[in-house]
Amino acid sequence: MIQQGQEEPAAIPTVNIDGANVPFTEGETLYEICSRQKKDVPTLCYDPRLDPFGGCRLCVVELEGARNPVASCTTRATAGMKVRTKTEAIENHRRTLLELVVSENRQVEVDELAGYASQELKILVERYDANRGRFQGKQSGQSRDDDDNPFILRDYDQCISCYRCVRVCAEQEGDHAISVMNRGFDTRITTEFNGLLRDSDCTFCGQCVQTCPTGALADKKALKHVDVPGKIEKTRSVCPYCGVGCSVDLLSKGDKLVGVLPAMDGPANEGALCVKGQFAFGFVQHDDRLKTPMVRDEDGKLHATSWDNALDRAAEGLRAVVERHGREALYAIASGRAPHEAAYTMQKMMRAGWGLNHIDNCSRA
Amino acid sequence: MPSPTDAEIFTRWANTEAPLLPILHAFHDRDGFLGEKAIHAISEALRTPIADLYGTVTFYHHFAQQAPGQSAPRVCTGPICKLKGADALLDAMRGEGATPMACSGRCDDPVPVLKGHQTLVACDGQMTPWYSPIPIPNPGGLEECVFASIREPDRGTHDGYRRTGGYLGLEKALATDPAAVRQTISDSGLAGRGGAGFPTGRKWDAVAEDPRGPKTIVCNADEGEPGCFKDRTLMDLDPHAVIEGMAIAAHATGATRGFIYLRYEYPETAQILERALKEARATGLLGGQTGFDLWVRRGGGAYICGEETSLLNSLEGKHPFPRNRPPFPVTHGYENLPTVVNNVETLASVPPILSNGADWYRQLGTGEHAGTKVISLSGDVLRPGNYEVPLGLPLSKLLHEWAGGVPEGRAIQAVTMAGLSGGFLAREGLDVTLDEPSIRAQGSFLGAGGIMVLDDSRDMVAVAHSAMEFFAHESCGKCFPCRIGTARLTERLGSGGPASFESWREEVDDIGSTMKATSACGLGMAAPLITESLARWFPDQVETHLNSTTS
Ligand SMILES: Cc1cc2nc3c(=O)[nH]c(=O)nc-3n(C[C@H](O)[C@H](O)[C@H](O)COP(=O)(O)O)c2cc1C
Ligand code: SF4
Ligand code: SF4
Ligand code: SF4
Ligand code: FES
């Protein structure tokens, strides 16, 4: 109760969500508030990093006073709004929408290795029991089997025209490599003149793959490992390729590295990666990779040797240079493909060992 | 005239307002299509990403990407033209590279064929140019607003327009405080004539009261709704009325620039408007000292570009998906600044209202319904054409007394409302008066005022099928319910979908109710009225259809 003489506190604006008053900050959308409240409002065209688009309409909620349900992702909260997120009518519309989507999508089940968001459609279809064979008819989308780039599968038979790929490429990457062509049921994801990705402005960052909710865009390199037995395990790491420090989740089955996912909560990258961090992990377990130290002998060729011998030879070489030219002549570059521990040791040796800051890394992203 | 070089095109247009559409048209006119070289050049000149530009060009029906392109004839296969043998005409012209186009806004004329910048009709086996006919006067001699002087000789010229009372409204407005002008419009009861019926005075107030600028007046002349051809008649015969209405709107709201967004299929109208604009500039009514100028921008063939936010994206050179609302154009319109978007008829009503006063306009309507509405009447009636009716006029009076009823020996089976967007009315549903409350009570709406009459010889399922084909063809593809729903409903009116009436009905109702409730714009919300009203008024024809496609 407000006592006499006391200032009335400035009223915090609230909206009423399913009967509970929830405070919000200026500019928040109903969907953002619902997510905070763990309302589990379904979406397919939504990616929190992108401008709300309002295409899938699954996020509709009932708003008191509005003639029709409103898309919660595009509706900004204003004080006093009364919202219901899960009425029978709303849930029925969501099921019908999903059944319509399923009716034009050739395959709801796709392997998890396809990409970060690839299970979104499947999960919703199961949740709403929407795979009941209704609304049959023609299918949209056309797969681009002719696009033989090594990274990105363009299996548009599975495309549901949510345009997340187009929007992530424009809004997050600034590349505008892909766009929407035609209209209505004939819309297609395209590059300039409907060509191949490699002939477009695509940098193969893989962002479109990771936001695709159906696996229509998929990670070809990871999908090579579908048949490797075992459960997929995720290990948080940092991409070694450059100084940005993008967080990644390494995907492995047993001790086989099978793919890389960008970490949406990575402080430096917030889900972004470049082509190297995303796709260039093949070297890790490559057959050509050195497994023992090598030294160059009198004959000018490299020969396998022991660690002790290799380290001695390296120390000798370094010492000889310092004796002849002084320590300032040393300069060390870590390989982007070396593990972090090696990069760390390298700089430690240079800084603590010789008091030098002549260090660098080979990668430029 | 030698054809312009790329550089000449860019010099002419690149630094004008809303440059993309005129540049696309200039290349399309020059080359006959928009090829890769043209798109590369435009992308560079406007600094637009090439993939976006390519995608956007493919959105528009009429922008060809290869020869024969623009010179190939396009035959109207809209619902009324179909009844008049459009399919046969199209087949006969296939040899010349003819392709179909959606209703091109001439349902009261013989089947139109668009060729380059000309509209032709087949007359005694000859293709001859065709111009908008003068509206038939109503039999009762009822007073009109926008048509009052349209039949005067030379009305389309500046001098002829002046001679018959033109530009008096603007003079009066300019001598009046903008707020008072807006008050007159509000008092008149004028509401949007483009379909949504929003009060015009309130729209203008919102724009005037927004402190940001520059402000813009957009005249929506996209008129893509099948069965609607009133805006073309107004612009062709009375172009200065539209310009005057826009100039008054500019004064009333503080706008400094304007556009007439004209549908692709009205090339003759573009020339008429350009000529009238030249006259208006030469006589000091636009540009220079007036502080307001306006330009024509032609669309590329897309019904959705009549939806005001899609129109604004199209003007700005963006992909023409509708925008999410709110915010509305009155605060975030052209270039995200305050913008009035008004229909042609709405704007043409403004000068006479200013001249004659708010009360005069109000009392033109019947009872509590203020003012008039132009109805485009087509199909199975003796005298199709545009009629300006007092709001509240009984539909039957228009059909029988004004337009002469259906042909001898036939009876009315149904009419469409709001072009196609209001679906069908039949039997007791025909006892409406022409105003929103009465028609909405029948689950339909008056909208932009297109009414197509179908006599008892017509196959309603076939008409509904071609209507739904139109919506599917014009769905922009932004939102799921409409993109997939229009395709599924089309199939269910053709040879696809469930065979039993019960499951047909269940699927069609579910799709329809979800489209109505969740679509992102009016197209997807309105399209299911076709199936809904078909099932309501003609369930037996649906059953017959289902039996015939499965047997
Ligand atoms: C699919 C769709 C198509 C439309 N087409 C037109 C059109 O061709 N002309 C028009 O004036 N309004 C059209 N509208 C309505 C406009 O969005 C807008 O309400 C109107 O231009 C406002 O002008 P008014 O208030 O003067 O009617 C359309 C709306 C929708 C949803
Ligand atoms: S890989 Fe990156 S640059 Fe290429 S299309 Fe996808 S998002 Fe755009
Ligand atoms: S490819 Fe994937 S992300 Fe892109 S529109 Fe299709 S479903 Fe959406
Ligand atoms: S309702 Fe149809 S036309 Fe409107 S935004 Fe959705 S897909 Fe586009
Ligand atoms: S998440 Fe709101 S419409 Fe898709």
Side-chain angles (χ1 to χ4, degrees):
Chain A
M1 234 180 75
I2 296 169
Q3 288 176 347
Q4 271 207 325
Q6 254 187 326
E7 285 267 333
E8 195 173 332
I12 304 168
T14 61
V15 288
N16 188 288
I17 311 268
D18 294 332
N21 286 329
V22 183
F24 68 94
T25 47
E26 173 83 30
E28 259 190 308
T29 62
L30 291 179
Y31 180 77
E32 286 164 336
I33 300 169
C34 290
S35 301
R36 254 198 293 118
Q37 298 300 110
K38 305 266 179 295
K39 286 295 175 189
D40 214 6
V41 170
T43 64
L44 278 174
C45 72
Y46 188 77
D47 179 326
R49 300 169 298 162
L50 305 177
D51 290 343
F53 181 66
C56 74
R57 315 307 286 176
L58 284 167
C59 71
V60 288
V61 294
E62 267 175 25
L63 173 63
E64 200 174 281
R67 192 153 38 102
N68 269 324
V70 298
S72 60
C73 69
T74 59
T75 307
R76 294 199 189 289
T78 56
M81 276 182 168
K82 277 202 176 126
V83 170
R84 302 218 292 154
T85 65
K86 226 178 177 168
T87 63
E88 197 186 327
I90 290 285
E91 289 287 275
N92 282 338
H93 288 315
R94 289 172 179 160
R95 175 184 291 112
T96 301
L97 285 170
L98 284 165
E99 286 179 341
L100 284 167
V101 173
V102 170
S103 77
E104 66 136 343
N105 189 291
R106 291 172 185 69
Q107 186 191 340
V108 172
E109 306 264 340
V110 296
D111 195 277
E112 268 183 89
L113 288 173
Y116 179 85
S118 62
Q119 305 304 298
E120 280 185 25
L121 175 63
K122 182 187 138 196
I123 290 168
L124 284 180
V125 166
E126 277 167 11
R127 176 170 143 199
Y128 282 90
D129 183 26
N131 206 347
R132 299 185 293 164
R134 297 176 86 208
F135 309 141
Q136 284 183 3
K138 64 180 175 178
Q139 321 252 291
S140 74
Q142 200 165 46
S143 289
R144 292 296 300 261
D145 305 325
D146 59 327
D147 199 327
D148 57 356
N149 80 78
F151 306 122
I152 298 177
L153 180 71
R154 302 171 70 195
D155 189 8
Y156 297 128
D157 286 357
Q158 245 92 275
C159 175
I160 59 171
S161 298
C162 69
Y163 314 133
R164 278 161 70 165
C165 51
V166 173
R167 292 179 286 130
V168 85
C169 188
E171 292 174 33
Q172 289 290 107
E173 291 298 304
D175 284 330
H176 299 267
I178 49 178
S179 64
V180 184
M181 71 181 286
N182 304 335
R183 62 188 191 211
F185 205 69
D186 293 328
T187 55
R188 303 273 183 277
I189 304 304
T190 187
T191 64
E192 59 197 69
F193 310 113
N194 208 9
L196 305 181
L197 280 177
R198 76 159 66 84
D199 301 327
S200 76
D201 290 330
C202 175
T203 64
F204 292 99
C205 68
Q207 287 288 288
C208 50
V209 167
Q210 304 303 356
T211 195
C212 179
T214 64
L217 294 173
D219 179 340
K220 277 186 183 170
K221 296 195 72 170
L223 282 179
K224 285 193 185 132
H225 302 104
V226 166
D227 295 332
V228 173
K231 246 185 62 205
I232 298 173
E233 260 182 85
K234 267 192 201 175
T235 310
R236 178 58 57 92
S237 188
V238 174
C239 171
Y241 272 114
C242 82
V244 170
C246 297
S247 300
V248 291
D249 284 321
L250 301 177
L251 304 180
S252 55
K253 284 184 175 179
D255 47 17
K256 176 98 186 136
L257 178 64
V258 295
V260 174
L261 289 183
M264 292 300 154
D265 57 348
N269 56 320
E270 293 176 345
L273 285 180
C274 77
V275 59
K276 292 193 278 186
Q278 177 64 72
F279 291 115
F281 60 88
F283 71 91
V284 174
Q285 289 169 322
H286 200 280
D287 288 343
D288 291 349
R289 190 157 181 186
L290 297 184
K291 296 196 175 89
T292 58
M294 311 275 279
V295 293
R296 204 176 296 280
D297 279 345
E298 313 287 75
D299 62 2
K301 292 192 178 130
L302 288 165
H303 297 278
T305 187
S306 68
W307 275 111
D308 276 350
N309 185 39
L311 287 170
D312 285 350
R313 287 281 299 273
E316 245 169 61
L318 287 167
R319 203 176 298 124
V321 171
V322 172
E323 267 166 20
R324 214 157 132 208
H325 302 287
R327 64 183 182 103
E328 296 286 332
L330 289 182
Y331 180 65
I333 304 173
S335 165
R337 291 179 174 180
H340 297 303
E341 292 79 357
Y344 178 82
T345 311
M346 184 282 284
Q347 61 83 32
K348 193 77 179 173
M349 177 175 78
M350 291 299 283
R351 285 173 166 153
W354 280 289
L356 285 173
N357 55 8
H358 296 179
I359 56 169
D360 206 347
N361 182 284
C362 76
S363 300
R364 292 289 180 274
Chain B
M1 211 173 63
S3 50
T5 62
D6 288 11
E8 282 164 353
I9 293 175
F10 294 131
T11 310
R12 166 70 184 85
W13 294 108
N15 293 314
T16 60
E17 295 272 3
L20 179 63
L21 283 170
I23 288 175
L24 291 177
H25 277 287
F27 276 89
H28 200 239
D29 287 348
R30 188 192 68 183
D31 303 342
F33 58 92
L34 291 167
E36 291 198 15
K37 260 170 75 188
I39 292 178
H40 270 290
I42 298 167
S43 156
E44 224 158 89
L46 295 184
R47 310 178 65 80
T48 311
I50 191 153
D52 291 354
L53 184 59
Y54 173 74
T56 298
V57 166
T58 64
F59 188 92
Y60 297 105
H61 180 78
H62 285 293
F63 286 142
Q65 280 149 270
Q66 66 225 359
Q70 200 204 29
S71 62
R74 288 120 214 240
V75 179
C76 178
T77 51
I80 295 302
C81 284
K82 255 193 166 49
L83 303 181
K84 289 192 278 198
D87 290 332
L89 179 64
L90 174 62
D91 281 342
M93 295 182 72
R94 291 266 188 207
E96 300 164 54
T99 52
M101 65 177 167
C103 174
S104 64
R106 295 170 199 275
C107 320
D108 55 338
D109 301 333
V111 178
V113 176
L114 183 64
K115 208 170 166 186
H117 290 262
Q118 237 187 355
T119 306
L120 306 167
V121 302
C123 223
D124 304 325
Q126 281 285 94
M127 294 309 274
T128 46
W130 189 262
Y131 301 100
S132 296
I134 292 171
I136 309 164
N138 68 63
L142 291 179
E143 194 174 2
E144 298 170 311
C145 174
V146 292
F147 281 176
S149 306
I150 205 167
R151 302 174 192 89
E152 301 284 349
D154 292 333
R155 176 75 176 177
T157 66
H158 170 266
D159 294 348
Y161 186 66
R162 279 264 187 207
R163 222 173 18 246
T164 47
Y167 288 116
L168 285 181
L170 178 61
E171 272 170 24
K172 208 160 158 184
L174 291 177
T176 315
D177 175 51
V181 174
R182 300 199 304 273
Q183 192 60 49
T184 302
I185 296 301
S186 286
D187 291 344
S188 75
L190 179 65
R193 299 297 185 230
F198 191 84
T200 307
R202 258 170 60 203
K203 193 177 272 190
W204 292 14
D205 283 342
V207 171
E209 283 156 15
D210 196 306
R212 296 167 315 141
K215 296 172 182 175
T216 308
I217 309 292
V218 175
C219 170
N220 188 343
D222 199 49
E223 194 159 55
E225 183 71 43
C228 290
F229 41 88
K230 66 188 178 76
D231 294 341
R232 171 177 48 79
T233 293
L234 282 168
M235 292 182 286
D236 283 359
L237 302 177
D238 208 1
H240 284 281
V242 182
I243 297 170
E244 187 181 358
M246 291 180 74
I248 295 171
H251 170 70
T253 57
T256 53
R257 51 188 184 179
F259 300 98
I260 300 177
Y261 187 96
L262 182 69
R263 73 179 298 194
Y264 181 94
E265 294 82 350
Y266 291 171
E268 294 88 352
T269 311
Q271 286 162 17
I272 291 169
L273 289 170
E274 291 291 3
R275 201 165 52 228
L277 284 174
K278 217 180 215 171
E279 289 178 328
R281 279 190 205 106
T283 48
L285 292 159
L286 284 180
Q289 295 291 306
T290 66
F292 176 69
D293 208 345
L294 72 95
W295 306 277
V296 177
R297 289 291 176 263
R298 289 183 68 203
Y303 167 59
I304 193 60
C305 287
E307 195 284 332
E308 55 188 6
T309 59
S310 163
L311 185 159
L312 292 167
N313 278 342
S314 173
L315 264 186
E316 291 181 15
K318 297 180 179 148
H319 201 77
F321 285 149
R323 300 176 181 173
N324 298 312
R325 288 137 295 157
F328 294 94
V330 286
T331 57
H332 294 75
Y334 180 63
E335 294 182 334
N336 267 332
L337 290 164
T339 301
V340 170
V341 182
N342 269 144
N343 172 254
V344 172
E345 184 188 346
T346 315
L347 289 162
S349 307
V350 166
I353 293 176
L354 264 279
S355 293
N356 303 326
D359 290 341
W360 167 82
Y361 184 74
R362 258 189 182 286
Q363 58 79 36
L364 291 181
T366 313
E368 73 271 30
H369 308 294
T372 63
K373 174 83 193 83
V374 178
I375 304 291
S376 300
L377 194 63
S378 63
D380 301 319
V381 282
L382 284 186
R383 290 188 290 276
N386 285 304
Y387 294 93
E388 183 170 6
V389 305
L391 281 170
L393 186 83
L395 171 64
S396 59
K397 191 160 176 161
L398 171 68
L399 294 179
H400 299 286
E401 290 176 30
W402 293 33
V406 289
E408 184 80 38
R410 295 263 156 237
I412 290 189
Q413 178 173 217
V415 301
T416 70
M417 276 289 157
L420 287 178
S421 290
F424 306 109
L425 289 182
R427 298 198 292 277
E428 66 269 23
L430 295 170
D431 295 335
V432 291
T433 52
L434 294 167
D435 54 79
E436 288 298 3
S438 170
I439 299 170
R440 279 183 194 270
Q442 289 297 329
S444 178
F445 63 107
L446 181 61
I451 299 181
M452 305 186 219
V453 182
L454 300 157
D455 72 26
D456 53 2
S457 70
R458 304 301 182 184
D459 174 349
M460 290 305 296
V461 180
V463 175
H465 182 242
S466 98
M468 199 57 75
E469 257 182 336
F470 168 79
F471 288 119
H473 183 254
E474 300 299 329
S475 164
C476 77
K478 173 178 173 169
C479 75
F480 288 21
C482 169
R483 181 179 62 82
I484 314 173
T486 51
R488 292 293 175 258
L489 291 180
T490 305
E491 289 161 344
R492 275 143 191 76
L493 292 165
S495 51
S500 86
F501 184 67
E502 288 69 41
S503 12
W504 185 92
R505 187 82 208 240
E506 200 192 15
E507 285 204 1
V508 164
D509 285 353
D510 276 3
I511 297 171
S513 82
T514 295
M515 285 175 74
K516 278 169 99 173
T518 68
S519 287
C521 90
L523 192 158
M525 292 175 185
L529 287 186
I530 290 288
T531 33
E532 189 182 292
S533 57
L534 180 76
R536 172 177 174 196
W537 299 112
F538 305 102
D540 34 330
Q541 288 196 36
V542 175
E543 286 209 61
T544 313
H545 165 77
L546 291 175
N547 291 337
S548 74
T549 48
T550 50
S551 60

